[in-house]
Amino acid sequence: MLGSLSDTRKLNKDGGNKEQTQILGILAQVRDKSIQIGDSKTTYTELKTECRELSSSILVFLLHSADISNPAKPQNLAVRWANKALTEFFAQGDKEKELAIPVSPLCDSETTKTADSQIGFLQFVVRPLYVLLGDIVPRVKEEVLPIVDKNLEYWQDNKSRSSILRKQEQQEQRH
């Protein structure tokens, strides 16, 4: 867990932009080579060799897409997996406190709010990645992005409801 969380923190710090820029560059190269092949500037063998070299980067991108796909699932599953992930993060945070080391982001059960964590994850990691994937695979744009957007809306509504409930509780405590 500690290793994978540090990878996630690195991705979150970059906002995914570096990775997305690399993937867009790869796709542009593939597109350009396809255009060149039509103009007979590149041989099929040269294109095939370059595509093999690029394929590992594309596979890493697809694997990462699958790894963070829980918010792209129907709401009941997305919520269940969000809670399981945060339970794991909080267990890590508890262990970090026990070891008297700094608590990793999203791992402090006393300060991390579920809705906020999911809104940030969806807005800055999941949605941008699936928008890019949707540019490559149109079916993702048609079928998966609406689910991601619906789940984002769920967490935003959840945050609003929680905020209203907190305000009501504070008012009741004053009276």
Side-chain angles (χ1 to χ4, degrees), residues 16 18 20 23 28 53 55 80 85 103 107 113 115 118 130 134 136 141 150-151 155 157 160 165 169 171:
K18 181 179 178 186
Q20 290 173 11
I23 297 297
E53 293 169 5
S55 67
R80 185 180 325 156
V103 177
C107 292
K113 293 179 174 66
Q118 294 307 298
Y130 278 92
I136 302 165
K141 189 179 287 184
K150 188 175 180 180
N151 286 331
W155 288 112
D157 290 346
S160 295
L165 288 175
E169 288 174 359
Q171 287 175 350

Side-chain angles (χ1 to χ4, degrees), residues 130-157:
Y130 278 92
V131 165
L132 178 59
L133 187 57
D135 289 341
I136 302 165
V137 183
R139 190 170 173 182
V140 170
K141 189 179 287 184
E142 297 162 8
E143 296 179 20
V144 179
L145 271 176
I147 295 170
V148 169
D149 290 338
K150 188 175 180 180
N151 286 331
L152 177 57
E153 185 178 320
Y154 167 82
W155 288 112
Q156 290 168 332
D157 290 346

Side-chain angles (χ1 to χ4, degrees), residues 65-125:
S65 299
D67 186 42
I68 65 166
S69 68
N70 290 328
K73 292 179 171 52
Q75 183 180 307
N76 63 329
L77 291 174
V79 170
R80 185 180 325 156
W81 281 106
N83 289 329
K84 287 179 184 247
L86 284 173
T87 297
E88 190 175 330
F89 289 176
F90 295 158
Q92 176 177 325
D94 292 344
K95 186 69 172 175
E96 289 169 340
K97 287 178 186 178
E98 184 182 305
L99 296 171
I101 60 175
V103 177
S104 300
L106 300 175
C107 292
D108 191 338
S109 61
E110 296 171 20
T111 60
T112 301
K113 293 179 174 66
T114 301
D116 287 339
S117 71
Q118 294 307 298
I119 290 167
F121 184 52
L122 280 156
Q123 286 180 331
F124 300 110
V125 179

